[in-house]
Amino acid sequence: MLITILTTGTRGDTQPYIALGLKLKASGHTVRIAAFENFGDFIKSFGLEFYPVEGDISKFVSSKMFKDAMSADNPLKFFKSLSNKEFNDALLGVQRDLFNACEGSNLIVYHPGAPIGYFVAQKLGIPCVLASPFPMSPTKEYPSLIFYDGIRLGKLFNYLTHKVFENGFWFAIKSPLEQYWKQLHGSAPKNFSCPYDKQNTKRFPTVTSCSNYDFPGPKDWPRNVYSDGYWFLDEEKEWEPPKELTDFLQKGPPPVYIGFGSVVDIEKSEETTGIIIEALKLSKQRGVLATGWNGTAKLDKVSDDLFILESAPHSWLFPLMSAVVHHGGAGTTAAGLRAGVPSIIIPHSNDQFAWGRRVHELGVGPKAIPRKKLTAQNLSAAINEALADGVKEKAKKLGEQIRSEKGAEKAAQIIIDVLEKEKNEAK
């Protein structure tokens, strides 16, 4: 049977779905992943079908629209960044490709940013699964991630923040989805309303990529909402590190990793790189600086204690580090926690503040330093705090616990069970 996975976003947003797809493929099903054009070769290298979604993600993250989204350091700014005309126009073409990717499917798995999957499944009469890369289903136990680092006003407030996020996220995508559907079918989809809260039945469940040792699955979640561990993609089996990197790692104590993925403002990249270099000097630590294709400034070698590379698989690199410094994206945070080393979060926007706070609550890193407040002095102090024995021990234990989970495998089994039940009932 054909399982189609609809995802949107950067490479970090795409990788968990490849991990999930590989587990589904191992069960004997055909798996197709719809993602931005940039990731075609990457997805196909794992033996999965690829359906291209029009758009160059590297150009998107350089746009003013993306910069506005990446400067959203409170919920109001976040929703405002998702409600402009440019965002609406960009998503219109995306809806077409996501819709076409579902042709011939027996089951649809969709990222929260691709809710068209729910309505296509409804039209085709097939089941679908909401697959969230972060805890999304409403609970009274803790606030929604974009509110997590704010004030705490009790259980009802916590629940309401999830509903605000659910409906705010839906509102941002609703217009282009409805516009495309009307162009195609002449009217909006049947029962056109927010689909996320409908994904809590046996035929329409929700699976979440998150560790129960990080955010435990809330007791008040509906029965068919699951969170059994992160969906990790181990790329390192095919990856060969450059000799210069292995030589650097062998010549001294484990270095500190610093990298901010695609979130760094290019206009401030030199400033950011300068802060990093000075912080490493102040803390007397060796460092590995990952510049990324849209990240910190590209520099020639600056000292024997700093190695500069564009990128390396986190699953290979992070366990070799003494600590990891990054922006706090969900995927990068998960990789750092899994590695069992302390994390230092420099949140730039949105849910990154939540991951920064959670890392500190778990005792596996210092308090987060918002990018607007980052200096060489406070980064140096955070590195020293992260390398304290107590923090390192807690990080090591948490890493062992997270590695014991089989998140992608368990999520895949839930999806397979839905498919098998559908097949049996059709006989």
Side-chain angles (χ1 to χ4, degrees), residues 43 58 62 68 72 120 146 161 170 235 239 255 257 267 274 323 328 353 358 401 407:
I43 291 171
S58 64
S62 300
D68 289 344
V120 177
I146 63 167
T161 64
W170 162 243
E235 309 162 67
W239 189 78
Y257 167 91
E267 296 173 2
F353 293 94
R358 190 62 183 147
Q401 291 171 324

Side-chain angles (χ1 to χ4, degrees), residues 13-177:
D13 297 310
T14 305
Q15 284 189 187
Y17 296 90
I18 298 176
L20 182 61
L22 289 174
K23 296 300 181 183
L24 292 168
K25 182 186 177 188
S27 70
H29 298 291
T30 300
V31 178
R32 174 189 298 157
I33 296 183
F36 283 116
E37 295 170 335
N38 309 61
F39 308 124
D41 291 341
F42 182 51
I43 291 171
K44 288 187 286 188
S45 72
F46 290 95
L48 302 173
E49 282 191 17
F50 171 67
Y51 193 96
V53 174
E54 182 181 349
D56 184 337
I57 193 66
S58 64
K59 291 181 180 178
F60 174 72
V61 299
S62 300
S63 67
K64 181 181 182 301
M65 176 173 58
F66 186 81
K67 288 180 181 179
D68 289 344
M70 286 300 100
S71 65
D73 53 6
N74 65 59
L76 183 61
K77 288 182 180 179
F78 170 71
F79 291 124
K80 185 177 179 181
S81 73
L82 300 181
S83 61
N84 61 58
K85 186 178 184 301
E86 185 182 0
F87 184 79
N88 184 87
D89 292 345
L91 281 182
L92 191 58
V94 169
Q95 303 311 306
R96 177 200 64 221
D97 293 331
L98 294 175
F99 180 92
N100 291 335
C102 297
E103 183 179 357
S105 301
N106 299 103
L107 182 145
I108 296 169
V109 178
Y110 70 93
H111 180 286
I116 192 171
Y118 175 85
F119 299 103
V120 177
Q122 180 180 255
K123 179 175 175 57
L124 297 178
I126 60 175
C128 69
V129 178
L130 170 59
S132 180
F134 47 80
M136 182 176 178
S137 299
T139 176
K140 294 179 180 179
E141 293 186 13
Y142 54 80
S144 166
L145 291 192
I146 63 167
F147 289 90
Y148 191 84
D149 194 39
I151 58 174
R152 300 297 173 91
L153 297 175
K155 292 185 176 182
L156 179 59
F157 174 79
N158 290 345
Y159 184 82
L160 289 175
T161 64
H162 288 279
K163 299 307 291 184
V164 169
F165 175 76
E166 245 185 18
N167 287 283
F169 203 69
W170 162 243
F171 181 77
I173 302 169
K174 174 184 176 182
S175 178
L177 197 168

Side-chain angles (χ1 to χ4, degrees), residues 178-313:
E178 183 178 21
Q179 188 178 345
Y180 169 73
W181 203 277
K182 285 182 175 179
Q183 289 176 0
L184 193 66
H185 301 291
S187 63
K190 180 183 176 183
N191 302 319
F192 190 58
S193 61
C194 181
Y196 308 127
D197 58 358
K198 301 172 187 175
Q199 295 280 174
N200 55 18
T201 68
K202 288 184 178 180
R203 196 166 185 250
F204 298 91
T206 293
V207 293
T208 307
S209 175
C210 191
S211 170
N212 276 303
Y213 295 104
D214 187 348
F215 278 101
K219 294 181 177 63
D220 59 351
W221 268 3
R223 181 175 297 178
N224 295 290
V225 176
Y226 304 91
S227 179
D228 295 299
Y230 290 111
W231 310 335
F232 288 113
L233 179 66
D234 291 324
E235 309 162 67
E236 78 278 4
K237 295 174 184 177
E238 302 295 330
W239 189 78
E240 289 290 335
K243 183 177 183 300
E244 295 81 5
L245 175 57
T246 55
D247 288 346
F248 175 79
L249 295 174
Q250 293 169 3
K251 285 180 180 178
V256 175
Y257 167 91
I258 304 179
F260 300 120
S262 60
V263 304
V264 173
D265 186 340
I266 295 176
E267 296 173 2
K268 295 183 178 180
S269 61
E270 289 188 13
E271 174 193 329
T272 301
T273 304
I275 290 173
I276 290 168
I277 293 171
E278 182 62 21
L280 289 171
K281 288 180 181 178
L282 290 172
S283 57
K284 298 180 181 179
Q285 296 296 321
R286 302 199 315 147
V288 169
L289 173 60
T291 61
W293 50 265
N294 185 44
T296 43
K298 313 294 190 292
L299 299 175
D300 294 326
K301 183 176 178 181
V302 293
S303 80
D304 291 337
D305 288 328
L306 180 65
F307 188 89
I308 300 169
L309 78 164
E310 182 171 322
S311 65

Side-chain angles (χ1 to χ4, degrees), residues 260-416:
F260 300 120
S262 60
V263 304
V264 173
D265 186 340
I266 295 176
E267 296 173 2
K268 295 183 178 180
S269 61
E270 289 188 13
E271 174 193 329
T272 301
T273 304
I275 290 173
I276 290 168
I277 293 171
E278 182 62 21
L280 289 171
K281 288 180 181 178
L282 290 172
S283 57
K284 298 180 181 179
Q285 296 296 321
R286 302 199 315 147
V288 169
L289 173 60
T291 61
W293 50 265
N294 185 44
T296 43
K298 313 294 190 292
L299 299 175
D300 294 326
K301 183 176 178 181
V302 293
S303 80
D304 291 337
D305 288 328
L306 180 65
F307 188 89
I308 300 169
L309 78 164
E310 182 171 322
S311 65
H314 292 164
S315 54
W316 182 90
L317 186 63
F318 281 8
L320 303 176
M321 302 292 103
S322 61
V324 293
V325 181
H326 57 85
H327 59 294
T332 310
T333 301
L337 298 178
R338 182 199 196 192
V341 298
S343 296
I344 302 161
I345 309 298
I346 315 296
H348 290 59
S349 63
N350 304 329
D351 65 328
Q352 296 164 13
F353 293 94
W355 297 110
R357 177 165 175 167
R358 190 62 183 147
V359 160
H360 184 58
E361 289 174 343
L362 292 168
V364 297
K367 284 186 177 180
I369 307 171
R371 174 59 187 89
K372 292 178 179 179
K373 297 182 179 180
L374 182 66
T375 66
Q377 287 72 26
N378 60 23
L379 178 55
S380 171
I383 290 172
N384 290 332
E385 184 179 341
L387 296 178
D389 289 343
V391 178
K392 290 194 293 184
E393 187 57 38
K394 287 181 179 179
K396 180 181 178 182
K397 181 179 180 180
L398 181 59
E400 291 169 351
Q401 291 171 324
I402 288 175
R403 292 194 296 273
S404 73
E405 296 177 308
K406 299 183 183 298
E409 185 176 313
K410 290 180 179 178
Q413 188 57 55
I414 291 164
I415 295 168
I416 292 163

